[in-house]
Amino acid sequence: MLQDDVSSSVTSSSPLQNFPMMSLSPNFGGSPYQWLKDLKSEDRGLYLIHLLLTCANHVAAGNLENANIALDQISHLASPNGDTMQRIASYFAESLADRILRSWNGIYKALHSTKLRVVSEDILVKKMFFEYFPFLKVASVIANQAIIEAMEGEKMVHIVDLNASEPLQWRALLQDLSARLEGPPHLRITGVHQQKQVLEQVAHVLTEEAEKLDIPFQFHQVVSKLENLDIEKLRVKTGEALAISSFMQLHTLLAHDDELQKKSPLVFKNLNGLHLQRAILNQNTLGDLLEKDTTNVFSPGNESASSSPLSSTASAKMDGFLHTLWGLSPKVMVVTEQDSNHNGTTLMERLSESLYFYAALFDCLEFTLQRTSLERLKVEKMLFGEEIKNIVACEGGERKERHEKLDKWYQRFDGAGFVNVPLSYYAMLQARRLLQSYSCEGYKIKEENGSVVICWHDRALFSVSAWRCRR
């Protein structure tokens, strides 16, 4: 049954009062969901949110028959080619279905046995994300400025990039260093990435740029996953001024402590129910709609009270890794991370938080690209869709997208012996100028304890912080 308390919580002024609160039974005569197709856009968006949360509730409780019926209803409303809410609902519904299928290993493995991911396609999609969104460009500008200021007067500079997938940031840094009054330093960049093809492409672009600018330059490739990185392979030398850059990569280490806590995806306690609040339909963005309609949308009850090493800041793998980096004595370490709590211990916590986060990103694309754009579809499916699936469908060591808020990173770096380096006025000025060039009022940045949070309207999406060793 759809939750009885949902219908009772919707007031007479809400369009949801007219939605049939039908029994979740497949035994309908004629076309069972014809009324769904007749909904207006705003009503459809509200009901999709309602259905997604209802479906997730059933999945968390192990009520697969009801989850299946809810997914069937969602399929009549959602579309990867539709409006923003239809598109995001498609990927969350796919993720919930994927979570169910993972409980049947044989079926799941058979369905994915011929799946092919082309490295060149992954590279292309990430380039699209860098191009169409200002977030990573702003983060790159801020990070480069922090590195330039820390390396002032240094003649031998070594930068370790823990996720060397995009050469544009370092190409811009090469150009900035070539204009340095005291002349450019000898620059060595060590790139860490699990795909050799990616590193080779980055090395080619940067070597060409360095030759053009006449900067002494070396690029050292380390093919490795971050969790398996051998620090000795970074080849940090005495006499070099070291900078470390981590671009949306550190959070993956949080999965390591969950390796031994693998559970069946459907073994969760039931929640206390959904409480859909009164609808307000004159919102400018999907994020606004979600703010109004998923606040207090579930009562975690006993489920969220469960504890694990992941429910606190403590992480043996992360702490050990940060202490190891501290031992390298970097002059500065710049960290960019998704600024949202997608590392909750329960499905409902993660689904609710990620709805907010990805709603904002889908809204950005709505303002940037046409709905029929192939580029938009690729970014949504191959990048956002895969991240959503990892957050919602995966558990244990498979769940790599464990994004957390900036305050958690402050605690971790402080505990590892680092102290925050406040980002400079000039770095902020450059970032604001770049955002203004996009001619869109939705993009904003705000300072937070010496760091920067990049937002879409008031929704924080990415954080940039700088650190140095505390001796």
Side-chain angles (χ1 to χ4, degrees):
M1 291 289 291
L2 283 171
Q3 304 278 348
D4 291 335
D5 56 349
V6 171
S7 56
S8 65
S9 69
V10 179
T11 68
S12 60
S13 62
S14 168
L16 286 181
Q17 66 172 325
N18 299 317
F19 290 170
M21 292 291 116
M22 79 289 281
S23 170
L24 281 182
S25 168
N27 299 319
F28 289 92
S31 177
Y33 305 133
Q34 181 58 46
W35 66 275
L36 293 175
K37 299 178 181 178
D38 298 332
L39 291 175
K40 296 178 182 178
S41 176
E42 296 89 345
D43 294 356
R44 181 178 61 222
L46 283 169
Y47 202 62
L48 274 170
I49 296 169
H50 165 72
L51 284 173
L52 283 171
L53 293 164
T54 299
C55 181
N57 220 8
H58 289 311
V59 172
N63 298 327
L64 301 191
E65 183 177 353
N66 284 349
N68 178 61
I69 296 168
L71 286 170
D72 188 30
Q73 291 188 44
I74 292 170
S75 71
H76 285 76
L77 290 174
S79 167
N81 301 304
D83 62 30
T84 309
M85 189 61 228
Q86 287 179 304
R87 297 168 93 103
I88 196 171
S90 296
Y91 295 108
F92 273 91
E94 181 183 13
S95 300
L96 288 167
D98 192 83
R99 184 180 177 92
I100 293 171
L101 282 176
R102 284 171 183 267
S103 62
W104 287 282
N105 275 337
I107 295 174
Y108 183 81
K109 288 177 181 177
L111 285 173
H112 291 79
S113 61
T114 58
K115 186 177 179 181
L116 180 65
R117 287 299 293 265
V118 181
V119 174
S120 58
E121 279 287 299
D122 288 340
I123 295 172
L124 180 61
V125 168
K126 288 174 182 176
K127 284 185 179 296
M128 289 178 185
F129 181 66
F130 194 90
E131 178 181 348
Y132 297 129
F133 290 89
F135 303 116
L136 303 190
K137 291 179 182 175
V138 169
S140 295
V141 165
I142 294 171
N144 281 358
Q145 185 59 34
I147 292 172
I148 288 170
E149 291 170 6
M151 298 301 164
E152 187 175 350
E154 295 289 350
K155 295 180 179 180
M156 301 284 289
V157 174
H158 183 188
I159 297 173
V160 173
D161 185 350
L162 297 178
N163 185 25
S165 59
E166 178 53 65
L168 294 181
Q169 175 182 359
W170 305 129
R171 192 159 85 172
L173 182 69
L174 282 166
Q175 293 165 1
D176 289 339
L177 290 175
S178 70
R180 212 167 63 155
L181 288 177
E182 65 268 36
H186 183 286
L187 179 63
R188 186 158 66 98
I189 294 180
T190 295
V192 180
H193 200 277
Q194 65 188 74
Q195 294 169 330
K196 185 174 179 60
Q197 180 182 341
V198 172
L199 289 172
E200 288 175 345
Q201 185 182 54
V202 172
H204 175 73
V205 171
L206 296 183
T207 301
E208 275 195 347
E209 187 68 21
E211 288 175 356
K212 188 189 306 179
L213 297 169
D214 195 26
I215 294 178
F217 175 75
Q218 291 176 298
F219 188 88
H220 173 51
Q221 302 178 30
V222 178
V223 181
S224 173
K225 292 182 178 180
L226 191 62
E227 62 263 32
N228 300 326
L229 178 62
D230 180 357
I231 294 296
E232 294 297 322
K233 291 185 178 180
L234 300 180
R235 299 181 187 173
V236 176
K237 300 175 182 177
T238 304
E240 293 178 327
L242 177 66
I244 300 174
S245 171
S246 176
F247 216 69
M248 298 191 298
Q249 191 68 11
L250 280 183
H251 63 262
T252 61
L253 295 179
L254 296 171
H256 187 270
D257 293 323
D258 212 22
E259 287 280 2
L260 300 178
Q261 299 183 31
K262 292 180 181 178
K263 302 175 182 177
S264 169
L266 301 179
V267 181
F268 288 97
K269 297 178 182 178
N270 198 3
L271 305 182
N272 290 337
L274 300 174
H275 301 282
L276 196 63
Q277 292 192 330
R278 179 176 178 172
I280 299 179
L281 299 176
N282 59 342
Q283 308 305 319
N284 295 323
T285 67
L286 174 58
D288 292 332
L289 186 66
L290 284 164
E291 286 284 359
K292 299 297 182 184
D293 297 301
T294 61
T295 305
N296 299 323
V297 78
F298 69 93
S299 299
N302 293 330
E303 187 190 26
S304 64
S306 64
S307 61
S308 77
L310 295 172
S311 62
S312 67
T313 307
S315 165
K317 180 71 173 180
M318 179 70 73
D319 293 347
F321 186 74
L322 292 181
H323 275 100
T324 300
L325 295 183
W326 177 89
L328 298 176
S329 300
K331 290 199 72 174
V332 67
M333 179 171 179
V334 188
V335 179
T336 299
E337 280 288 334
Q338 293 91 335
D339 194 58
S340 190
N341 182 22
H342 298 155
N343 196 24
T345 57
T346 68
L347 168 63
M348 294 303 290
E349 286 178 277
R350 300 201 302 270
L351 185 132
S352 179
E353 285 288 331
S354 55
L355 264 176
Y356 282 118
F357 183 85
Y358 288 99
L361 289 175
F362 275 69
D363 267 336
C364 293
L365 279 176
E366 182 78 2
F367 279 83
T368 306
L369 295 171
Q370 297 291 324
R371 290 180 181 177
T372 56
S373 165
L374 181 60
E375 290 81 6
R376 176 177 177 178
L377 183 63
K378 283 186 174 182
V379 170
E380 288 175 339
K381 180 174 179 59
M382 297 177 66
L383 189 60
F384 299 160
E386 289 301 309
E387 288 181 4
I388 291 168
K389 189 179 295 182
N390 191 263
I391 292 167
V392 172
C394 296
E395 293 294 346
E398 289 183 318
R399 182 160 60 84
K400 302 292 187 182
E401 302 298 338
R402 294 172 178 262
H403 314 143
E404 294 195 335
K405 299 288 286 183
L406 182 59
D407 60 345
K408 289 284 188 74
W409 293 108
Y410 265 81
Q411 293 176 49
R412 290 195 176 98
F413 275 89
D414 180 69
F418 288 88
V419 62
N420 181 248
V421 178
L423 297 169
S424 69
Y425 169 80
Y426 186 63
M428 295 293 293
L429 183 63
Q430 285 182 300
R432 288 197 168 96
R433 283 176 178 170
L434 179 56
L435 284 183
Q436 288 170 0
S437 70
Y438 277 78
S439 301
C440 179
E441 294 181 357
Y443 297 119
K444 299 177 181 178
I445 61 173
K446 62 181 180 181
E447 294 182 66
E448 192 170 306
N449 297 325
S451 300
V452 170
V453 177
I454 311 168
C455 308
W456 172 249
H457 293 283
D458 293 325
R459 170 60 52 181
L461 294 177
F462 300 93
S463 66
V464 187
S465 56
W467 307 88
R468 61 175 174 80
C469 293
R470 181 177 63 239
R471 294 295 180 186

